[in-house]
Amino acid sequence: MYAAIRQGKAKPGKAEELTRRIKEGAIPVISGVEGFMGYYVVYAPDDTVIAISLFNNYAAAEESNKRALAWIEHDLAPLLTGPATATAGPVIVHTLA
């Protein structure tokens, strides 16, 4: 399993609009990558937004970051304080309840 992780900082008060845009735009972009396994978004109290996507191979994780960063630049930039960052790699520990 491989994770693609993207992080950005939202402008204060933009959580609801960010949520709507992610549901309508990012989910179709990310889930369309072959090997997609799951998608999670965390909104921290300091307005940091972290998106974690899971894939069954590294190439898919990298491709998702490429697509996501392009989508973020085009559709989310007005809601962020600066550019988003991205990384990908193997998941080395995981567990489920």
Side-chain angles (χ1 to χ4, degrees):
M1 180 176 359
Y2 295 83
I5 302 168
R6 292 158 305 278
Q7 182 171 322
K9 184 94 164 180
K11 293 178 181 175
K14 299 297 181 182
E16 285 185 36
E17 178 65 12
L18 203 75
T19 300
R20 184 187 66 76
R21 288 190 191 193
I22 290 170
K23 286 180 178 178
E24 293 174 0
I27 290 176
V29 168
I30 300 305
S31 64
V33 176
E34 188 172 336
F36 174 77
M37 297 171 61
Y39 184 70
Y40 305 88
V41 177
V42 178
Y43 197 97
D46 69 348
D47 296 312
T48 297
V49 182
I50 303 164
I52 304 162
S53 308
L54 300 175
F55 296 88
N56 63 14
N57 65 76
Y58 180 73
E62 282 287 303
E63 177 63 22
S64 77
N65 274 342
K66 178 181 166 187
R67 292 182 190 187
L69 286 175
W71 178 82
I72 290 167
E73 185 177 320
H74 183 263
D75 290 355
L76 281 191
L79 304 178
L80 301 177
T81 62
T85 61
T87 191
V91 175
I92 60 171
V93 176
H94 79 281
T95 188
L96 300 172

